[in-house]
Amino acid sequence: MSHLLAVASALPGPPREQGRISDVVVPLVAGDDAGATRLLRRLHAGSGVRTRHLALAPQDYAGVRDFGHANDLYLRIGTDLAAQAAADALAHAGVTAEDVDLVLFTSVTGIGAPSVDASLVRRLGMRSDVRRTPSFGWGCGGGAAGLARVHDHLVGHPHDTALLVCLELCSLTLQHGDTDPASLVASGLFGDGAAAAVLVGDAHPAAARAQGPEVVAARSRLYPGTEGDLGWQVGATGFRIVLSAGLPDVIRAELAADVEGLLAAHGLKVGDVTRWVVHAGGPRILDAVSDSLGLPDDALAASRASLAAVGNLSSASVLDVLDRTLRSGAPGGSPGVLLAFGPGVSAEVVLLRWSATEG
């Protein structure tokens, strides 16, 4: 087992109303195309997003036109956000940066070598011999995949402390003049932010006082033939989103077998799960999850609340949903499922068990 001690999020700037963001983004993306303008405003209004946090003031996106400029902003602004989320998570967990034995960093909206986690070691005061695992390419699945890989490490190193950090500045991937339907959807769906989680192994002294859930097990799945349904095309102007309209159908058809298989291996069924922690991929994604698993209407309330308040934070999204779920409580000793989807198409499913003192 591994034990979650704390989760924290860091969001840039104030929450900005979706309509005001649309007023700035629509001309940059649609230009003088009246049809694209109407479609874009309709997509923004139907995204399930009420407010978002952005790395820049909305009016400043007009000046971001090449990949180099966008990536410089990602490294400067993003490193500050990642450091804030990590420091807050460590403080809430009651452990110091020097206690961290493994830091896993994931992001898919910018790149750096050395990666952002190397900067966090110095900024936060982690030991110079800390193990680092930077990851690029998990996409929206990164928070769940990162949690699963941290769990794997802690099962083998039960005395260790691990820090998971997810950073995404999705707005910096905005492609001017790109009226492809996927880009139009993305321009109204994704928000910016970082999130971090602190976990310890079974033999760590802090495991006995953990108020968060235990990570019991995890399962990963790649769905064959779906490589073109979700991801990035990388070009001179940066990351251009690949987002198939058929993605919800893949989830609707495939997800139940994976979730039910993981639950069955631990003597559980879907109806036993009291909390569903699902990355806020958008209304159609959440509907597909609900349909596939036959969930009650309120099962994904935390995911829909996260989507409305901050948009889809990509890899950081599922940790934001987890944070909201922790604050609302759960029946002690009951199972939970955390899941997210990424390029591949891939599904990452994590089985949780809430602390006996929870709720």
Side-chain angles (χ1 to χ4, degrees), residues 210-338:
Q211 295 298 304
E214 299 171 339
V215 180
V216 178
R219 175 172 292 194
S220 300
R221 174 86 185 280
L222 279 170
Y223 300 130
T226 61
E227 294 89 344
D229 286 336
L230 182 63
W232 291 124
Q233 290 179 344
V234 184
T237 57
F239 300 129
R240 184 172 181 267
I241 197 163
V242 175
L243 182 61
S244 167
L247 179 58
D249 293 332
V250 173
I251 294 169
R252 195 172 276 110
E254 302 285 353
L255 178 64
D258 297 314
V259 174
E260 290 169 358
L262 179 59
L263 290 172
H266 295 271
L268 298 168
K269 297 180 180 180
V270 167
D272 297 323
V273 177
T274 64
R275 294 294 182 271
W276 294 92
V277 183
V278 181
H279 108 264
R284 295 184 66 216
I285 298 298
L286 295 176
D287 288 346
V289 170
S290 185
D291 291 345
S292 180
L293 298 172
L295 301 181
D297 290 343
D298 61 349
L300 303 184
S303 298
R304 296 187 191 278
S306 176
L307 179 65
V310 298
N312 180 353
L313 298 177
S314 189
S315 69
S317 174
V318 77
L319 293 187
D320 184 78
V321 178
L322 178 58
D323 187 25
R324 294 169 188 271
T325 304
L326 290 172
R327 283 186 268 126
S328 67
S334 65
V337 169
L338 179 147

Side-chain angles (χ1 to χ4, degrees), residues 15 53 136 154 156 172 198 225 268 280 329 336 338 352:
H53 294 253
F136 178 92
L154 292 173
L172 294 177
V198 179
L268 298 168
L338 179 147
L352 307 173

Side-chain angles (χ1 to χ4, degrees), residues 68-85:
H69 185 194
N71 202 64
D72 287 345
L73 291 167
Y74 163 86
L75 290 172
R76 178 171 59 83
I77 299 169
T79 301
D80 289 343
L81 279 175
Q84 180 185 336

Side-chain angles (χ1 to χ4, degrees), residues 142-164:
L147 198 67
R149 299 296 80 77
V150 163
H151 168 70
D152 291 342
H153 172 86
L154 292 173
V155 168
H157 301 81
H159 292 87
D160 278 8
T161 300
L163 173 66
L164 169 64

Side-chain angles (χ1 to χ4, degrees), residues 13 20 38 52 86 91 114 139 142 165 205 209 234 249 265 291-292 338 358:
R20 293 188 178 275
R38 288 193 296 271
R52 287 185 279 168
V165 182
R209 61 174 171 82
V234 184
D249 293 332
D291 291 345
S292 180
L338 179 147
E358 187 76 25

